[in-house]
Amino acid sequence: MRKICLFALLFFYTTAVQAQSLSGLADNIIDFFSGTTEPDSGAYPVSWVIAPLLAYSPETSVQFGLGSVILFKMKNALPEDRTSSLFFSARYTLNQQVTASPTYAVFSRGEKYVHKGKLDFRKFPLFYYGIGNDTPESNEELYKINTLSMEHLTYRNVTGKLYAGAGIRFQRTYALGLEEGGLLATEQPIGSKAYTAAGLNFGLLFDNRNNLMSTTTGVLAEFKHQVHRSWLGSDFEYSLSKLDLRTYWSPFQKRNDILAWQLYAYISGGDVPFNELAPLGGDMIMRGYYQGRYLDEKFIATQAEYRMAVWKKLSAVAFVGVGDVSPQLNSFRFKELKYSLGGGVRYSVLLDENLNVRFDYAFGKDTQNFYINISEAF
């Protein structure tokens, strides 16, 4: 696979801001890269990190970006309630390409409700290699696509840490720029022209993790099923199902090391637009592969990561993963599985919330990539 050069530089400042209220932050503007408020009595502190990004890739030229996270609790929250989070990242390139992606997870008082969702706007090029788990590198073509999407799901507590929920999903895909005579223009798969996807979102959630940003103990089991139908305003009728299982535990009593494991499945069916087929790769699972290097209706992968404390705010990780895509669940073949291997370092920017900036290098079958992000991959 052709190497995609990506050079990123994150500048972050980790001195805590000591302010009496949010209105007092203006007096500490020099420390805006990270900080924690000291609010009035009865309220909870608000912590944040802002990380500028400078990057380059052949497809986009120079990229200027900004990533941030805000950690907070509702004013009437109980002390044992977990911290809510709001992430935001945005990038702009010299080719006038833009991506902006706010995501959120908000806990109500007593964690009776959990509100999760994201907004996403993208004016960005993507690579397409065809559909299947054995597409050749020579298929590579760059196409342009604009998407505006919104997804929300509200979970209601059933018992203990078990939740059931429902919500909505909307996506508008437009301004597709296909290479004349290219693979996409020739095949014209579903979704190769502008379309609208509108559907309902259903979920089951078990989550007793101690921290959503950088978990050290607990279990996550989440199943989401998204149904898109014409009577909801969708141009295509299809479904997307996603299963995410994670466990975290400490193998040694006298160390703070963490062994984390994840199983992830993405199952689609019906008239699925090609850009919503199950993608292999990215910075979260099957690291090392370009996200979407392999596409098909089904994707199953598992990964394990060992996180080891090194010195003060520094830690190191090593990870391994396997996975693949397939048109049917019974079509997966052990000998065809793709692998992912790598390691990285972590730098803690908010010790109280165990929030890290991560630097990962990963490689797989004929591919390798470098990643910089806020919070762990899973």
Side-chain angles (χ1 to χ4, degrees):
M1 178 179 180
R2 186 182 68 185
K3 294 181 180 178
I4 304 174
C5 298
L6 179 64
F7 302 96
L9 182 61
L10 278 171
F11 300 98
F12 49 85
Y13 186 68
T14 58
T15 300
V17 175
Q18 301 298 322
Q20 295 302 313
S21 65
L22 287 174
S23 62
L25 294 180
D27 297 331
N28 300 281
I29 193 66
I30 193 171
D31 291 331
F32 77 95
F33 288 105
S34 72
T36 300
T37 67
E38 289 293 343
D40 297 332
S41 177
Y44 291 91
V46 176
S47 301
W48 70 94
V49 176
I50 301 175
L53 172 68
L54 175 65
Y56 172 84
S57 69
E59 304 80 41
T60 63
S61 184
V62 176
Q63 303 175 41
F64 304 92
L66 186 70
S68 65
V69 57
I70 300 174
L71 306 176
F72 64 96
K73 286 187 178 184
M74 306 301 288
K75 187 174 182 179
N76 64 345
L78 300 177
E80 62 269 23
D81 290 347
R82 284 171 290 180
T83 302
S84 299
S85 62
L86 172 62
F87 281 92
F88 178 79
S89 64
R91 288 184 292 171
Y92 175 80
T93 81
L94 294 185
N95 289 346
Q96 298 183 347
Q97 299 152 334
V98 176
T99 176
S101 304
T103 64
Y104 57 89
V106 179
F107 295 94
S108 70
R109 177 182 171 84
E111 299 189 12
K112 183 177 181 179
Y113 293 95
V114 181
H115 307 283
K116 300 177 69 176
K118 64 179 178 179
L119 301 174
D120 192 46
F121 171 75
R122 291 180 181 272
K123 179 185 177 183
F124 220 73
L126 295 171
F127 281 123
Y128 179 73
Y129 297 87
I131 299 173
N133 66 356
D134 194 28
T135 52
E137 188 71 20
S138 58
N139 277 4
E140 181 183 271
E141 70 175 60
L142 191 66
Y143 70 98
K144 297 179 181 179
I145 184 171
N146 291 4
T147 59
L148 176 63
S149 63
M150 183 272 288
E151 182 177 323
H152 175 81
L153 206 158
T154 292
Y155 284 105
R156 171 67 160 82
N157 183 259
V158 177
T159 179
K161 294 294 184 180
L162 179 64
Y163 296 78
I168 59 174
R169 181 177 188 265
F170 173 84
Q171 177 167 297
R172 175 62 180 169
T173 299
Y174 58 99
L176 275 81
L178 308 185
E179 180 181 328
E180 186 176 351
L183 192 61
L184 276 172
T186 301
E187 293 181 347
Q188 292 192 348
I190 297 173
S192 57
K193 296 182 180 179
Y195 71 90
T196 297
L200 300 177
N201 211 357
F202 304 95
L204 286 173
L205 172 69
F206 177 85
D207 187 359
N208 66 357
R209 294 174 296 169
N210 64 330
N211 187 302
L212 271 62
M213 304 299 103
S214 299
T215 308
T216 58
T217 61
V219 174
L220 168 72
E222 184 174 24
F223 175 76
K224 293 193 297 184
H225 183 64
Q226 301 166 342
V227 181
H228 305 83
R229 294 292 182 264
S230 58
W231 58 270
L232 292 169
S234 184
D235 291 334
F236 305 113
E237 297 199 348
Y238 63 101
S239 63
L240 304 176
S241 298
K242 302 172 186 179
L243 175 66
D244 191 355
L245 302 177
R246 310 181 191 182
T247 63
Y248 307 84
W249 62 287
S250 179
F252 304 109
Q253 293 183 350
K254 295 184 179 181
R255 291 184 58 88
N256 293 324
D257 298 356
I258 303 300
L259 181 60
W261 171 82
Q262 180 185 29
L263 173 67
Y264 182 80
Y266 184 121
I267 310 297
S268 62
D271 295 329
V272 188
F274 80 92
N275 65 311
E276 293 196 65
L277 290 171
L280 183 150
D283 68 339
M284 307 297 283
I285 191 166
M286 295 303 291
R287 282 165 280 182
Y289 295 87
Y290 176 82
Q291 186 172 17
R293 172 60 183 87
Y294 299 97
L295 288 173
D296 217 318
E297 290 197 1
K298 278 71 177 175
F299 167 55
I300 299 177
T302 184
Q303 64 178 341
E305 183 169 287
Y306 190 82
R307 302 167 184 170
M308 179 178 63
V310 176
W311 180 70
K312 292 186 178 181
K313 293 186 175 185
L314 288 176
S315 57
V317 305
F319 52 85
V320 58
V322 293
D324 209 352
V325 297
S326 177
Q328 301 294 334
L329 288 175
N330 60 4
S331 300
F332 286 94
R333 298 291 181 266
F334 182 79
K335 65 179 181 179
E336 296 176 350
L337 291 177
K338 313 296 189 297
Y339 65 88
S340 168
L341 298 171
V345 296
R346 303 290 184 266
Y347 182 83
S348 178
V349 290
L350 288 177
L351 285 174
D352 291 343
E353 293 295 342
N354 198 28
L355 180 65
N356 298 325
V357 174
R358 63 181 173 99
F359 304 82
D360 286 339
Y361 173 79
F363 64 93
K365 183 180 179 182
D366 301 321
T367 184
Q368 55 186 318
N369 270 304
F370 178 67
Y371 307 94
I372 301 178
N373 215 325
I374 298 176
S375 81
E376 300 295 347
F378 67 99

